[in-house]
Amino acid sequence: MAQSAVQPATTTTPAKLPLGAIAPWAVFFGILMLVLLYFVGAEQGATSLLAGEDVHEWVHDARHLLGFPCH
């Protein structure tokens, strides 16, 4: 009657990822975030790359959410 149904916990160590496997993805997502930050924060201003108001309208709410002035 003193038997327990709970098995003792075993410790496992997670597999280690080498830095060389993570670095290309970190660089890719870092560049992607910088491009998104540019379009949200600076496009349609003095450094505009695209003509018209299309980009401004697509990222208008994100500008307000992040605190960028646009009016």
Side-chain angles (χ1 to χ4, degrees):
M1 290 214 201
Q3 296 176 349
S4 174
V6 178
Q7 298 294 327
T10 58
T11 58
T12 59
T13 47
K16 294 182 180 181
L17 291 174
L19 184 60
I22 298 172
W25 288 103
V27 170
F28 171 72
F29 283 112
I31 291 171
L32 182 65
M33 290 295 112
L34 287 174
V35 168
L36 289 174
L37 182 64
Y38 168 76
F39 277 109
V40 169
E43 181 63 24
Q44 298 301 113
T47 61
S48 179
L49 296 177
L50 303 171
E53 292 287 323
D54 294 334
V55 173
H56 176 83
E57 293 302 322
W58 278 97
V59 297
H60 185 88
D61 292 337
R63 287 180 184 211
H64 288 295
L65 181 68
L66 296 174
F68 288 100
C70 66
H71 298 283

